[in-house]
Amino acid sequence: MVSIKEIKAVDLNPQDFINQKADEISKAVGDGVAINALSGGVDSSAVTMLGHKALGRRLKTYFIDNGIMRKDEPQKIAALFKGLGVDVEIIDARDKFFKALKGITDPEEKREAVTQTFYKDVFGKLVKQSNAKYLLQGTILTDVDETVAGIKRQHNVFEQLGIDPKEAFGYKILEPLVQLRKDGVRKVAAASGLPESSFNRMPFPGPALAARVIGEVTPEKIETARSATSILEEELSSIEAFQYMAILHEDRVTGMRNGKREFGNQIEIRCWDSLDARTATPTDLPYATLRKLADRMVQEVPGVVSVTYHIATKPPSTMEVV
Ligand code: XMP
């Protein structure tokens, strides 16, 4: 087990950290090529900026479009990085992910299907084709802690579990953020030139909208969750909350539209106040805001006839439903 020396956000000088890590990456990779996958989250965004500073065009950055991201997310993130001088190649892997998710209803199996498709089928193959000997990953200290404690198996933790990626996959992994926690990463991301929409970004789970669809994930159901999410993010953009989400339920309910019965879908809205995601309370949203959300969702998202707001705390709830 590798022991990792934590750098606390208060002790962090982000500019020194960036220079030091860029130097380390540069020395490790030499005149070779490195590869990384960008999701747009703060960790992978910060790593992309560090790798780009160290290697320039010798860092190949991919955005894997798994079909379960939010509206236009792959294009928006690639455009943002292009504006910062970083080329991002979008890989269309939507069919592969939907095929892997077909017929699966169990939450943990859904997460596993997303992880396996990402590593084995899509990104693993890209790494082999690229001949890169180094893979840059945005693993942070909390990922290592949670994985080692057996709370949540984070897909980006290998060495800490005693898996040698060189032996298992043929490449070495560099994890420049592994001494930091989220607050430290946000400081590094801000100092590396990323905009506030990146360094203060709301958390979004690895299994993406597949975590927001109860039961089997299909392209149609993802589209429903995606439309509801867009409305939610528009309406709550000025609200101070840790995280908010729109969830598509598996059960349908009777509604009526234009005088006719409509056996339709239900969307559940969750909005959380939390400091560290370990415990959370529902945000006290104004009733008028909730009503506006409901009106827009039933009008603008096809098939939705019911909208509810989740009011239980975590625990015993969790923030996501899946
Ligand atoms: P829960 O649902 O465990 O969520 O209360 C706590 C925080 O973790 C995020 N989350 C995930 N993030 N992969 C991720 O990268 C996951 O599988 C996952 N599950 C939950 C969740 O969005 C919340 O911020």
Side-chain angles (χ1 to χ4, degrees):
M1 204 70 74
V2 190
S3 94
I4 301 165
K5 191 173 179 306
E6 176 171 359
I7 304 174
K8 291 211 154 63
V10 283
D11 302 325
L12 176 74
N13 177 324
Q15 209 54 60
D16 289 351
F17 181 90
I18 289 170
N19 292 337
Q20 188 198 328
K21 290 297 162 187
D23 203 40
E24 282 173 26
I25 294 168
S26 196
K27 285 204 177 103
V29 179
D31 55 10
V33 173
I35 182 172
N36 79 317
L38 170 69
S39 69
V42 65
D43 305 340
S44 68
S45 295
V47 161
T48 301
M49 295 306 278
L50 279 176
H52 180 73
K53 182 176 166 69
L55 306 170
R57 298 181 84 81
R58 285 182 298 116
L59 175 71
K60 288 283 296 167
T61 299
Y62 294 99
F63 188 107
I64 311 294
D65 182 359
N66 52 16
I68 51 178
M69 301 303 278
R70 286 168 291 186
K71 190 166 183 296
D72 301 329
E73 202 158 18
Q75 293 73 21
K76 280 186 192 156
I77 300 295
L80 184 142
F81 275 82
K82 194 158 186 55
L84 297 166
V86 183
D87 282 335
V88 178
E89 192 177 331
I90 299 174
I91 303 292
D92 181 358
R94 290 175 293 181
D95 288 350
K96 286 188 173 149
F97 281 87
F98 281 120
K99 222 167 136 195
L101 284 162
K102 198 170 166 43
I104 300 180
T105 54
D106 178 78
E108 289 305 312
E109 286 178 24
K110 269 157 75 169
R111 283 163 192 271
E112 190 61 14
V114 173
T115 303
Q116 289 295 328
T117 308
F118 183 87
Y119 274 96
K120 287 231 171 92
D121 203 6
V122 183
F123 193 52
K125 284 190 184 142
L126 276 176
V127 175
K128 285 203 187 98
Q129 281 164 20
S130 73
N131 277 327
K133 293 280 175 291
Y134 287 88
L135 171 62
L136 257 60
Q137 275 201 161
T139 318
I140 68 170
L141 196 50
T142 318
D143 299 338
V144 179
D145 287 348
E146 289 188 353
T147 300
V148 173
I151 295 169
K152 192 161 64 176
R153 166 75 152 92
Q154 295 281 350
H155 53 245
N156 50 6
V157 174
F158 293 107
E159 293 194 18
Q160 291 76 16
L161 289 172
I163 300 168
D164 178 357
K166 183 93 182 69
E167 223 165 73
F169 314 110
Y171 51 80
K172 280 182 166 260
I173 296 182
L174 299 177
E175 296 172 321
L177 306 178
V178 79
Q179 292 167 276
L180 305 179
R181 302 211 180 255
K182 204 59 122 193
D183 46 358
V185 179
R186 292 195 197 281
K187 277 176 86 171
V188 169
S192 68
L194 285 161
E196 188 176 357
S197 59
S198 293
F199 68 76
N200 265 343
R201 196 167 117 125
M202 188 165 70
F204 188 62
L209 295 174
R212 310 270 166 87
V213 167
I214 303 181
E216 187 186 5
V217 173
T218 63
E220 296 72 32
K221 288 184 180 181
I222 288 290
E223 195 43 49
T224 303
R226 182 181 284 132
S227 303
T229 300
S230 289
I231 294 170
L232 187 72
E233 292 188 350
E234 269 172 47
E235 294 296 332
L236 297 191
S237 62
S238 58
I239 289 273
E240 292 246 344
F242 181 87
Q243 196 172 10
Y244 36 81
M245 56 196 73
I247 294 142
L248 173 63
H249 277 229
E250 191 170 20
D251 288 342
R252 292 197 296 159
V253 289
T254 299
M256 55 186 288
R257 210 186 295 266
N258 303 327
K260 285 210 185 93
R261 179 180 190 273
E262 183 174 332
F263 196 46
N265 287 315
Q266 334 183 42
I267 293 288
E268 174 185 333
I269 296 165
R270 292 182 171 202
C271 182
W272 295 107
D273 291 337
S274 176
L275 284 178
D276 56 10
R278 280 188 275 211
T279 59
T281 352
T283 306
D284 194 2
L285 288 178
Y287 191 69
T289 305
L290 290 169
R291 284 281 303 108
K292 174 130 190 252
L293 281 168
D295 284 347
R296 283 197 62 191
M297 285 183 190
V298 295
Q299 278 159 24
E300 297 174 37
V301 188
V304 171
V305 297
S306 163
V307 179
T308 55
Y309 187 54
H310 175 91
I311 51 171
T313 57
K314 171 182 179 175
S317 284
T318 58
M319 297 174 84
E320 305 286 350
V321 281
V322 163

